[in-house]
Amino acid sequence: MRLKFIHGLQVSAIGATLYCAQLPLVAAESLTEVPVISTWQIKAKPRICVKPSIRPICTMNTDIIWKGSVNADICLLSSQTQMHIKCWTNVQAGNILQEINSDIEITYWIAHFGEDAVLAKTTVRIVNVPQRQIRRRRRHIWSLL
């Protein structure tokens, strides 16, 4: 019985045949070009607006940053307006500094120009912080002793 070496191991002819039978076969005809699936991401920095409860609205600037895997005509939209905030032509990424004046959360999303399908979205939350209650501590003369 002759022994063969496969990947540094000593195996018999039967073992080598069984080992090779487990390898996947790939025919050249089965390799076809797969269409590229585009992926999109959007984020806002900062994502939370903190306001004291005595103020009626939250005011801040947030940086909206988006990117994709392919060049496209992209528009940025918001839950606060019916119109596009901004559109870009034949780009893969973009950003815009957006001023926020709101008392409710705002959702931003990107879509292809002229289409309604949402590619990616993010939300800027508004958080109310209650006003601190200042309580004076009473000091008794006997606490100093």
Side-chain angles (χ1 to χ4, degrees), residues 2 11 23-24 32 36 39 47 58 70-71 90 118-119 124 126 138:
R2 293 179 72 190
V11 294
L23 296 177
T32 58
V36 175
T39 57
R47 294 184 332 191
C58 186
V70 294
N71 285 2
N90 196 26
V118 175
L119 300 173
V124 176
I126 309 296
R138 291 189 221 176

Side-chain angles (χ1 to χ4, degrees), residues 22-131:
Q22 294 175 357
L23 296 177
L25 296 176
V26 178
E29 294 82 33
S30 69
L31 297 177
T32 58
E33 188 172 321
V34 178
V36 175
I37 298 173
S38 60
T39 57
W40 299 91
Q41 297 175 343
I42 185 171
K43 60 184 171 181
K45 288 185 179 180
R47 294 184 332 191
I48 299 174
C49 185
V50 179
K51 75 173 189 75
S53 60
I54 59 173
R55 287 198 183 153
I57 61 171
C58 186
T59 303
M60 75 168 197
N61 289 328
T62 186
D63 195 17
I64 309 293
I65 305 161
W66 62 268
K67 65 180 177 177
S69 57
V70 294
N71 285 2
D73 298 339
I74 299 295
C75 290
L76 176 67
L77 298 103
S78 144
S79 60
Q80 285 195 317
T81 180
Q82 298 288 331
M83 300 179 58
H84 302 307
I85 294 173
K86 184 171 181 177
C87 291
W88 293 265
T89 305
N90 196 26
V91 292
Q92 196 169 352
N95 70 327
I96 185 170
L97 188 63
Q98 188 69 24
E99 184 178 347
I100 293 177
N101 294 308
S102 179
D103 60 342
I104 59 171
E105 71 180 24
I106 304 168
T107 302
Y108 293 96
W109 66 91
I110 52 174
H112 286 291
F113 181 76
E115 294 182 17
D116 293 332
V118 175
L119 300 173
K121 68 179 178 177
T122 188
T123 301
V124 176
R125 294 181 36 218
I126 309 296
V127 177
N128 291 319
V129 177
Q131 189 176 7

